[in-house]
Amino acid sequence: MRLHFSPSMRSITVSSSNGFIDFMKIKVAARHISYRTLFHTILVLAFLLPFVFILTAVVTLEGVNDCSSLDCFGRTWGPRLLGRVDASKQRLVSEFYKVFNQVSTEEIPDGLKLPDSFSQLVSEMKDNRHDAKTFAFILKAMMERFEKEIRESKYAELMNKHFAASSIPKGIHCLSLRLTDEYSSNVHARNQLPPPELLPLLSDNTYQHFVLSTDNILAASVVVNSAVQSSLNPEKIVFHVITDKKTYAGMHSWFALNPVYPATVEVKGTHHFDYLTRDNVPVLEAVENQEGIRNYYHGNHIVGTNHTNTTLRVFASKLLVRSPKYISLLNHLRMYIPQLFPKLDKVVFLDDDVVIQRDLSPLWDVDLNGKVNGAVETCKGDDEWVMSKRFKIYFNFSHPLVAMHLDPNECAWAYGMNIFDLRAWRESNITETYHWWLRENLKSTLTLWRLGTLPPALIAFRGHIHPIDPSWHMLGLGYQNKTNIENVKKAAVIHYNGQSKPWLQIGFEHLRPFWTKYVNYSNDFIRNCHILES
């Protein structure tokens, strides 16, 4: 590098050592240069010269010192200053893209040996020095293998959870057997429910009437206990508990031996209702259609499901509707409440997987505006499992009958805590509509909707729903592991709809205490059956 002053001191030139390029040339405008100007010039040069020296050294070290113009400098340092890689690296990346694109459309070669881990892959690459295409094939095969294993494990988890949710826990089975035996041997277990002097209350419309249909004795006790303990006027509560014939003795024994004073409890079996005949209840035809039901619920079609073409949510939904409860008459009884209780005007219907945390007396003051069913709508939130459900979730819109009559985007609503105006119901055609669609579903070999009571009810109650505030009925405690605890505490009724029931081992631990607080663990039957608090 050279520094050259002209004889007249009018210009100063900085050039490279080979003399082919002028890096910098400073011309002095004045004919006579002042000492101040000279000082400033030298100061600028003192700042610039080290920088120029460093650039020149770097260029030399990288082997491009034979460049003869600033264009070489720009090509070399421009991309670096802009954060780009050099051309060789770009070509390498481009070649890899080409290889990956090619491999993505080709079949993986037969017999390709795959490493078990990434570290083994790196080791084999070093030892065998595979080409880029072979490496891409190995990487693709490993990814596909891992994706398949993860997917299959998720399906296996759903399947195992389905079996766990459909089974009866040993403790609850024990409770039912012991109470049934008690009914036959203990006269007090056969006491009339309610006592004769309270029979008029069963049809007194000044009282608050609850209807509960279940074959789970422990769950029924929690629903009744929570309602009575949360009520400001428990003496005004009348519970109508309906169960099946096999559970009736045990259910009667429980409430006879464990009265919930001052509330009134009635226990009846389905065999006690004269109305429940095959002529009056066409749903019995579906329940008695053993061959179709057996194939639908217990066939091995689930085992042969093509997981590649089935999403996890669809698979979970198919498992859910294959629960044995959907072929139980108890699950359909809610549609016959006006006929089963002809003297009642208004009732609140409850599922057996709910807990009442607040006084429900105000529900009897809710003006349904001539509607039949006061319910929480389930299409108002972002939660895909609970609060984002519309008709398209439940119905097969590829069927022409469904497509002709229903709107896929119509809002759904929830069973589990419903206010029923029985007078308005009796003046409607809701039950007849329910029966008509059940028959059509049978004619269509059960293809109009996934089995269950909610889909036909969504059709039957169209135009008869009065939305109530969601704070009355919080859903999803059997689905949502991350349910907001503060919201749970505020809800009047919490609903463990879903597979993770609080009485099952698969129940969510942090949500179970809201249910177990109403279980009497000091009771001899519960203690002897080892139904222990978690």
Side-chain angles (χ1 to χ4, degrees):
M1 182 182 297
R2 296 178 181 178
L3 185 65
H4 176 70
F5 293 88
S6 66
S8 61
M9 295 296 290
R10 292 183 181 179
S11 64
I12 303 172
T13 303
V14 180
S15 63
S16 63
S17 58
N18 55 20
F20 288 108
I21 179 173
D22 292 338
F23 277 100
M24 184 175 298
K25 191 170 186 178
I26 303 174
K27 292 185 178 182
V28 182
R31 181 177 296 272
H32 299 285
I33 186 169
S34 65
Y35 289 107
R36 179 177 295 179
T37 303
L38 181 61
F39 173 76
H40 288 161
T41 301
I42 294 173
L43 186 64
V44 171
L45 290 174
F47 174 76
L48 291 176
L49 286 177
F51 179 70
V52 174
F53 173 79
I54 293 172
L55 290 180
T56 303
V58 172
V59 170
T60 302
L61 290 174
E62 293 204 357
V64 293
N65 56 329
D66 56 342
C67 292
S68 59
S69 67
L70 286 174
D71 178 61
C72 179
F73 175 79
R75 290 198 309 267
T76 303
W77 286 94
R80 295 177 182 273
L81 295 176
L82 295 175
R84 301 173 184 170
V85 298
D86 58 42
S88 61
K89 292 182 180 178
Q90 288 180 332
R91 285 194 300 271
L92 180 61
V93 173
S94 178
E95 290 298 324
F96 262 111
Y97 284 153
K98 288 180 181 179
V99 171
F100 284 134
N101 287 332
Q102 179 183 358
V103 167
S104 65
T105 59
E106 296 182 8
E107 294 294 331
I108 298 173
D110 295 333
L112 184 65
K113 186 177 180 181
L114 301 181
D116 295 325
S117 64
F118 180 76
S119 59
Q120 185 179 346
L121 171 63
V122 174
S123 176
E124 289 186 3
M125 289 298 299
K126 291 180 179 179
D127 296 340
N128 301 325
R129 299 189 179 278
H130 296 304
D131 58 24
K133 188 172 183 179
T134 303
F135 170 74
F137 270 125
I138 293 175
L139 199 60
K140 177 183 179 181
M142 289 180 66
M143 292 294 295
E144 290 184 357
R145 182 183 66 184
F146 292 150
E147 288 176 358
K148 182 180 179 181
E149 291 175 354
I150 292 172
R151 190 175 182 84
E152 288 180 349
S153 68
K154 289 182 178 179
Y155 281 108
E157 179 185 0
L158 288 174
M159 182 72 78
N160 293 335
K161 192 173 183 179
H162 165 69
F163 290 133
S166 302
S167 63
I168 301 175
K170 182 171 64 176
I172 291 180
H173 182 60
C174 166
L175 181 65
S176 180
L177 292 178
R178 285 179 175 267
L179 287 168
T180 300
D181 180 67
E182 195 74 10
Y183 185 82
S184 62
S185 60
N186 186 345
V187 65
H188 297 293
R190 298 192 298 272
N191 286 342
Q192 183 175 344
L193 290 176
E197 64 273 17
L198 298 181
L199 286 177
L201 301 185
L202 299 180
S203 57
D204 190 337
N205 283 295
T206 63
Y207 281 71
Q208 301 164 11
H209 294 267
F210 293 90
V211 176
L212 172 65
S213 176
T214 180
D215 61 354
N216 187 327
I217 298 172
L218 185 64
S221 71
V222 169
V223 174
V224 174
N225 287 342
S226 64
V228 172
Q229 293 180 33
S230 301
S231 175
L232 298 178
N233 299 290
E235 69 280 359
K236 300 293 291 184
I237 288 180
V238 178
F239 256 97
H240 305 269
V241 180
I242 308 174
T243 190
D244 55 19
K245 188 174 183 178
K246 66 179 176 60
T247 314
Y248 170 73
M251 188 76 75
H252 189 282
S253 293
W254 175 265
F255 286 105
L257 298 174
N258 300 279
V260 284
Y261 183 83
T264 301
V265 177
E266 173 192 35
V267 177
K268 277 193 171 184
T270 53
H271 56 291
H272 292 140
F273 293 95
D274 295 334
Y275 180 82
L276 297 178
T277 65
R278 203 167 186 272
D279 292 333
N280 294 328
V281 185
V283 70
L284 290 174
E285 182 179 354
V287 175
E288 294 170 1
N289 185 2
Q290 295 296 326
E291 183 177 358
I293 297 298
R294 187 181 298 110
N295 289 339
Y296 191 89
Y297 286 101
H298 307 295
N300 61 1
H301 52 284
I302 287 294
V303 177
T305 299
N306 185 349
H307 294 168
T308 304
N309 299 325
T310 305
T311 65
L312 284 170
R313 178 175 178 177
V314 170
F315 185 74
S317 298
K318 287 181 177 180
L319 287 175
L320 181 61
V321 298
R322 282 165 176 77
S323 171
K325 72 176 184 178
Y326 289 121
I327 56 173
S328 169
L329 176 60
L330 290 175
N331 210 36
H332 294 269
L333 282 185
R334 65 194 81 192
M335 291 303 301
Y336 305 106
I337 291 176
Q339 292 79 25
L340 300 182
F341 303 99
K343 295 182 179 181
L344 296 182
D345 295 336
K346 197 172 190 178
V347 302
V348 168
F349 174 82
L350 297 172
D351 274 349
D352 64 0
D353 53 355
V354 305
V355 172
I356 293 86
Q357 303 186 125
R358 199 166 72 219
D359 179 45
L360 299 185
S361 299
L363 292 178
W364 272 263
D365 298 326
V366 173
D367 185 0
L368 298 182
N369 296 316
K371 305 296 184 181
V372 175
N373 184 355
V376 169
E377 292 181 311
T378 55
C379 65
K380 303 299 184 182
D382 296 329
D383 172 29
E384 64 176 353
W385 286 105
V386 179
M387 296 302 288
S388 295
K389 293 186 176 180
R390 299 182 181 271
F391 275 27
K392 59 185 176 183
I393 298 295
Y394 299 98
F395 297 98
N396 174 21
F397 277 89
S398 63
H399 195 288
L401 186 63
V402 173
M404 182 186 307
H405 289 88
L406 304 180
D407 177 4
N409 292 314
E410 188 167 343
C411 187
W413 46 269
Y415 262 152
M417 199 286 291
N418 303 86
I419 314 167
F420 289 136
D421 185 333
L422 301 185
R423 290 175 298 181
W425 191 336
R426 296 184 185 103
E427 296 174 359
S428 70
N429 62 345
I430 290 174
T431 304
E432 291 75 14
T433 301
Y434 187 81
H435 289 165
W436 188 88
W437 279 93
L438 284 178
R439 293 190 183 98
E440 290 300 316
N441 197 34
L442 285 173
K443 292 177 184 177
S444 302
T445 62
L446 309 177
T447 58
L448 298 186
W449 58 76
R450 301 167 188 166
L451 280 187
T453 56
L454 183 55
L458 290 175
I459 304 175
F461 281 103
R462 291 180 77 196
H464 299 283
I465 298 295
H466 176 77
I468 61 175
D469 192 281
S471 65
W472 283 110
H473 183 191
M474 183 179 183
L475 298 154
L477 275 71
Y479 283 126
Q480 305 294 358
N481 189 25
K482 298 181 180 179
T483 302
N484 187 291
I485 295 297
E486 293 304 316
N487 291 339
V488 174
K489 294 177 180 177
K490 297 175 184 177
V493 175
I494 54 175
H495 193 173
Y496 291 84
N497 60 310
Q499 293 178 313
S500 300
K501 304 299 185 187
W503 56 83
L504 298 175
Q505 290 296 324
I506 60 175
F508 300 129
E509 291 294 336
H510 63 295
L511 298 176
R512 184 177 284 125
F514 294 96
W515 186 85
T516 56
K517 67 184 291 187
Y518 296 104
V519 177
N520 181 9
Y521 287 97
S522 63
N523 181 275
D524 289 340
F525 290 99
I526 291 179
R527 190 173 63 253
N528 291 334
C529 286
H530 306 288
I531 301 176
L532 302 177
E533 186 173 9
S534 300

